[in-house]
Amino acid sequence: MNFVLTEEQIMIRNAARDFAQNECKPGVIERDSHMTHATEQIKTMGELGFMGMMVDPQYGGSGMDTISYAIAMEEISKVDNSVSVCMSVQNSLVLYGIEAYGNEEQKAKYIPDLATGKTIGAFCLSEPEAGSDATSQSTIAEDKGDYYLLNGTKNWITNGKKAGTYVVIAQTYPEKRHKGINVFIVEAGWEGVTTGIKEDKLGIRSSDTSSVMFADVKVPKANRIGPDGFGFKYAMKTLDGGRIGIAAQALGIAAGAYELALAYSHERKTFGKPINQHQAIAFKLADMQTKIEAARMLVYRAAWLKDQGMDYATAAAMAKLYASEVAMEVTVEAVQVHGGYGFVKEYHVERLMRDAKITQIYEGTSEIQRMVISRSAIKGKTYLPIEAKSEEAPV
Ligand code: CAA
């Protein structure tokens, strides 16, 4: 077993850390308070290659592995989760699927601008009445011969208002249920595409979340991804990778809050000594660090399985479940270590605590992750050690 990062991974970590500390940290509190979109930071993120990290360089991507992506996500998420959620959606939910399942024409047309961040993408699956129960799609894509007529509303869409390209899941044959669902690339400028107001949220407040409406939108047949009826599988496979991104985000939130709490525990003195010399605080730090390390192992393992071309669906669900719960626990403790200072915005930990909550909800709630994991467990699948590179070995 090798836990040593490669030189390239260290370089990426340092570049992501510099970007987060130098470009994202200044103004992060104000952007959060006023719900101001981090437009400049996201543009720079694209120029640095973080928007298409795993995309083949022939399409303008950075051609990196999933572990590098998780490392970069962690560093950026220590600082600004409104920026890192945009990065996660772009890489995992938008680009991965188009590259893996799109045809050559679709890839050549849409990937280069998305991979360099010139165009922002959004993934439109959730609906007012279909969140966890993703098969119950009411958005309809009616087959009209040489085009589909798209009608419906999507909710909670990250990058909803800023996106130029939407990946949209919609039902074509309701009687076939999930086997009748399709997936399309839809351009924001097409007639009939509109967006709702920017949501006023508990956390990731500067990220762009809105509903997206489709009213008699004509989608050319050429913009359907994959075979007829492939849309639900596409969404599930895409979300498997997305869950690694959000797990890495949750890990970054926890690690960022821990680093702040540790630094504060050296500076702050009570009863004549730094607070980390009191067992009450020292043991909190021990628990926080242990949970973060365990979460990191699950995130890296899921990323590694994906890079090996092995089945990673359950590993990704475990990573997201555990890392998001750790993010919540660690940020609450980080606020506690800071005492009253933790309750004010200037010290950053209260924002990380608010940001942590969404990682237990989006891209599959903790309850959905438990569904995915338990279904695999009940089938008798085992996880470690991995003994062979076969689809059957790990899950
Ligand atoms: N990979 C490939 N295929 C999969 C799969 C996977 N990971 N998971 C399920 N499938 C297939 C099944 O094999 C089945 O196919 P067959 O009928 O051919 O056998 C089909 O999909 C239906 O599967 P299920 O019977 O398991 O479906 P279900 O209704 O029980 O639901 C679920 C499964 C896992 C709960 C799914 O509905 C789910 O993941 N729900 C949560 C959705 C979600 O994560 N939403 C987040 C929105 S995106 C977001 O948050 C974005 C953002 O902007 C940040």
Side-chain angles (χ1 to χ4, degrees):
M1 276 181 209
N2 183 357
F3 293 99
V4 181
L5 297 182
T6 64
E7 278 186 24
E8 193 183 46
Q9 288 163 345
I10 293 170
M11 210 178 70
I12 290 158
R13 185 195 61 199
N14 294 345
R17 191 173 285 171
D18 287 350
F19 167 69
Q21 297 296 331
N22 301 329
E23 310 280 338
C24 298
K25 197 165 184 182
V28 64
I29 295 171
E30 291 72 22
R31 288 195 301 276
D32 175 76
S33 292
H34 303 299
M35 293 169 44
T36 312
H37 190 250
T39 307
E40 277 309 307
Q41 289 73 11
I42 289 167
K43 184 166 170 275
T44 306
M45 187 161 68
E47 289 159 3
L48 290 170
F50 291 126
M51 290 289 257
M53 282 193 75
M54 294 159 291
V55 169
D56 191 323
Q58 71 161 306
Y59 300 113
S62 306
M64 296 186 178
D65 62 5
T66 313
I67 293 182
S68 302
Y69 167 58
I71 290 169
M73 273 299 297
E74 179 182 339
E75 289 304 323
I76 298 170
S77 302
K78 285 178 183 176
V79 177
D80 191 336
N81 289 284
S82 296
V83 170
S84 70
V85 70
C86 177
M87 172 179 160
S88 181
V89 166
Q90 188 93 345
N91 277 279
S92 305
L93 296 188
V94 176
L95 279 161
Y96 169 76
I98 300 177
E99 191 177 22
Y101 305 109
N103 60 34
E104 206 41 58
E105 204 182 311
Q106 292 164 343
K107 292 193 226 185
K109 184 169 176 188
Y110 291 105
I111 293 183
D113 281 355
L114 287 164
T116 49
K118 289 190 186 110
T119 301
I120 292 182
F123 180 73
C124 301
L125 172 68
S126 300
E127 298 185 347
E129 303 294 330
S132 291
D133 183 8
T135 58
S136 299
Q137 293 286 304
S138 354
T139 298
I140 299 291
E142 205 183 330
D143 190 342
K144 291 284 190 183
D146 56 351
Y147 66 90
Y148 288 90
L149 198 62
L150 186 64
N151 278 290
T153 297
K154 296 291 180 178
N155 251 26
W156 319 119
I157 304 305
T158 303
N159 302 334
K161 297 178 87 61
K162 298 283 176 185
T165 302
Y166 297 104
V167 172
V168 183
I169 314 294
Q171 180 60 268
T172 302
Y173 313 102
E175 68 286 359
K176 294 190 186 171
R177 293 207 34 88
H178 67 273
K179 291 184 197 295
I181 291 173
N182 273 312
V183 52
F184 306 94
I185 303 173
V186 176
E187 296 180 22
W190 288 352
E191 207 178 331
V193 181
T194 53
T195 59
I197 54 157
K198 183 172 175 170
E199 301 288 354
D200 187 351
K201 310 186 295 290
L202 172 73
I204 56 163
R205 286 176 52 75
S206 78
S207 81
D208 166 31
T209 312
S210 75
S211 48
V212 182
M213 282 80 78
F214 305 98
D216 286 339
V217 179
K218 283 187 177 177
V219 182
K221 274 263 158 87
N223 277 42
R224 190 188 76 210
I225 306 175
D228 202 9
F230 180 61
F232 189 72
K233 287 239 163 165
Y234 178 98
M236 291 297 106
K237 285 173 176 285
T238 300
L239 279 166
D240 288 340
R243 288 167 186 165
I244 299 176
I246 299 305
Q249 180 184 52
L251 171 62
I253 293 172
Y258 170 75
E259 286 172 13
L260 290 166
L262 179 65
Y264 183 80
S265 76
H266 283 294
E267 287 162 19
R268 177 72 174 173
K269 290 197 174 82
T270 56
F271 306 103
K273 51 187 177 182
I275 57 171
N276 60 24
Q277 296 305 307
H278 300 297
Q279 196 182 66
I281 300 298
F283 280 14
K284 277 192 198 303
L285 295 170
D287 286 345
M288 289 157 91
Q289 197 183 30
T290 304
K291 287 174 186 174
I292 291 166
E293 289 299 330
R296 190 175 282 114
M297 290 302 110
L298 283 176
V299 173
Y300 283 11
R301 182 183 68 134
W304 181 86
L305 285 170
K306 179 165 177 280
D307 288 334
Q308 303 307 306
M310 296 161 99
D311 185 355
Y312 58 93
T314 309
M318 286 180 172
K320 182 181 181 286
L321 171 65
Y322 188 71
S324 62
E325 311 245 310
V326 165
M328 207 62 248
E329 289 163 16
V330 167
T331 53
V332 167
E333 287 296 69
V335 170
Q336 193 67 18
V337 169
H338 280 76
Y341 292 102
F343 206 61
V344 295
K345 290 183 188 286
E346 193 189 335
Y347 284 78
H348 298 284
V349 282
E350 65 80 35
R351 188 184 68 260
L352 292 171
M353 187 180 88
R354 288 187 284 105
D355 289 349
K357 187 62 206 168
I358 191 61
T359 66
Q360 296 179 306
I361 298 172
Y362 59 19
E363 300 202 27
T365 60
S366 292
E367 292 71 22
I368 289 293
Q369 307 313 323
R370 288 189 171 93
M371 247 172 96
V372 171
I373 298 162
S374 62
R375 284 178 182 184
S376 151
I378 290 160
K379 282 182 192 156
K381 292 201 174 184
T382 51
Y383 309 102
L384 277 177
I386 296 163
E387 291 177 6
K389 186 174 172 173
S390 88
E391 291 207 348
E392 289 305 312
V395 294

